[in-house]
Structure formats: C-alpha cells, structure tokens
Amino acid sequence: MSAVDVRVHADLGQVDPHEWDSILAPDDLQATHRFARVCRDSRIEDAEFRHVLVRQCGRLAAAASLTRLTVSLDLLSPGPLRRIAGAVRRVAPGFLRVPVIFCGLPVSFGASSLRFAPGVDVALALRCVARAMEEFAEESGATLLCFKEFTDAESLRLTGLRTLGYFAAPSLPGCSLRVPWSDFGAYLGAMRAGYRRQARASLAARESGPLVFERLDEYGPECARIHALYDQVLDRAEYRLERLPLAFFERLAAEM
C-alpha cells in the first residue's frame, strides 16, 4: 500500500492554493481554491467547511471540500406539504431540518468538488475522503453523508463507495443540451423549416425593437440587480438546496 498522508483543514487559509490547484485542469474554475474561498466568505446558509488533502508518496493525490448544511427536507417536497411544514416550523423551528455532510460546496452547479491527480490510487484516496467525512459528521452531529453532483463518467470512478455503505441516487430533474453545431448559423440550418422561420422572425424583431444586449466585463456594480433577478427565479423554483446571498455575487465579482 502506498504511504498516505491525510490532512483536514477547517481553515481554508491553511491550505496552499498552489498545491490545491495543481491537480486541476486549466479551466476547472469551480474546483479552485479561489472559488472555495468565495463560498466561505459569502457565508452561504451558514455552512461549515472542511478541506481535505490526500497525499500519496509525498505528492497530492486528491482534494475535496466538505460542507455541513442543515437541509430543510420540505424543500424537496411538493408545494402543499412545504406550506404545512412551514406552518409547523413557526412553532418548532427544527421540524424536518436535518444536518448533512456533503462532499461538495454549498452551490448547486452540477459538478463535484472532489478531484484526483492523474495516475493515483483512486480507491485508496476515496476511502480517505470518506473517512474524513465520517469524522466531520461525528464531530458536528450530522446524521447524513452525501457525495454530490457527479457525471455518469465520474461515477464510474466512485464504485468503491458502495463497499463503504453508500448507494447511488439520481439528482433532482435537470436538463442538458449537447451542442454539435459549429456556430449559430449551423444551428439555424439544422432546424426544421417552420422553427427556422420562427427563429428568424424573432431575430428580426430583436433588430427592430428596443431589446439591447450589453456585455459587462466588470459586473460588480450590478450585483444587487443580478441578485434580485436570481431571487425572483429561486422563489419560483420547485426544488432548491441553498439560496445564495448577495455576498456570493459580490465576492464572485471580486475574486473570479
């Protein structure tokens, strides 16, 4: 067995950002030390964090961010049950609220926060991360543990979790679109004639109407407007795990 060293840090400031980022792909921004810092400084849902570094033979083999969140289970239920739970919670604030340890950050962006260096013993590193989660749960009184938001391809590397007592569960419904077209013209050309006419009519209306597109390279001054629009969307969302505060958008603009 390879020599393994596992370090768990409650303070992200104790983690060397260069070492953390050294196993990431160049465009893997949402797994970076900077993005984890944005989440920490934003105080999303009063989350508590641990950051795990697994070294094999002296080099970084895996890195993971762990988050403790108190999850309102009624947020995963239909509207009528949610309203009933909300009424009960006015009397009993802890009703249907469960502490959960996630392997992941408190932002639902359809990607994990677990990374492995090329060529390492993935099964061994995975067991180390899982043990760190168990210790965090014991320390903080959490009752559920969850590795979240993996693609099908990533899940193939995590089959070892089944031997540790985990089971696979699908994420809440979402959608994705593969984009095989080289440009917008090719996309229009692939449409059926009827849809293409509608699309071109919409494009013509855009040119003749008051609709204006503006690109903001520095969107910090617009964070309050962006957050207000985000809140409007989230208020209509059937399901949600977290609500991002204004501070998240402000820190994102400043750090990323």
Side-chain angles (χ1 to χ4, degrees):
M1 179 180 292
S2 303
V4 178
D5 176 60
V6 182
R7 302 293 174 93
V8 181
H9 299 275
D11 180 4
L12 184 62
Q14 296 175 343
V15 178
D16 179 358
H18 300 291
E19 182 184 25
W20 181 276
D21 292 349
S22 66
I23 61 174
L24 305 183
D27 60 348
D28 194 4
L29 294 177
Q30 290 165 326
T32 59
H33 189 280
R34 276 191 302 159
F35 189 78
R37 189 167 68 241
V38 166
C39 294
R40 178 202 65 185
D41 294 346
S42 303
R43 299 191 59 79
I44 302 168
E45 301 286 1
D46 290 325
E48 186 178 353
F49 299 94
R50 295 292 185 272
H51 304 280
V52 184
L53 295 98
V54 180
R55 297 182 181 88
Q56 294 179 5
C57 298
R59 70 186 186 99
L60 187 62
S65 289
L66 312 180
T67 304
R68 184 190 189 277
L69 284 176
T70 300
V71 177
S72 298
L73 297 184
D74 53 293
L75 294 178
L76 307 178
S77 64
L81 290 179
R82 205 175 302 172
R83 288 191 289 273
I84 292 171
V88 173
R89 195 170 289 127
R90 285 195 286 270
V91 179
F95 181 67
L96 287 182
R97 289 177 60 83
V98 178
V100 181
I101 301 296
F102 290 100
C103 180
L105 291 166
V107 182
S108 299
F109 50 74
S112 78
S113 296
L114 174 60
R115 296 294 183 273
F116 300 100
V120 303
D121 185 340
V122 171
L124 176 58
L126 190 60
R127 289 197 298 272
C128 294
V129 173
R131 181 56 191 157
M133 288 180 66
E134 293 166 7
E135 292 174 352
F136 190 14
E138 293 170 4
E139 171 194 340
S140 63
T143 52
L144 292 176
L145 291 84
C146 174
F147 285 78
K148 77 183 183 87
E149 297 187 287
F150 295 95
T151 65
D152 291 340
E154 289 172 331
S155 296
L156 293 176
R157 306 184 74 187
L158 305 179
T159 53
L161 287 176
R162 295 181 185 275
T163 64
L164 300 176
Y166 290 86
F167 62 90
S171 294
L172 289 169
C175 62
S176 62
L177 175 67
R178 294 184 64 189
V179 182
W181 308 284
S182 58
D183 54 33
F184 188 67
Y187 169 64
L188 283 177
M191 289 182 175
R192 292 182 177 180
Y195 290 117
R196 189 161 53 248
R197 283 195 297 271
Q198 294 177 50
R200 285 175 173 164
S202 296
L203 291 172
R206 181 192 69 180
E207 296 300 328
S208 62
L211 189 62
V212 176
F213 291 90
E214 181 181 0
R215 171 175 170 157
L216 299 176
D217 292 319
E218 298 292 337
Y219 64 89
E222 299 294 332
C223 281
R225 283 183 62 196
I226 294 170
H227 183 256
L229 294 170
Y230 161 81
D231 265 345
Q232 290 179 30
V233 173
L234 210 63
D235 285 342
R236 292 165 172 78
E238 185 175 2
Y239 303 108
R240 62 177 175 84
L241 179 62
E242 76 286 325
R243 183 183 287 268
L244 302 176
L246 173 59
F248 174 80
F249 293 81
E250 293 173 338
R251 298 308 306 160
L252 197 65
E255 297 282 351
M256 304 295 289

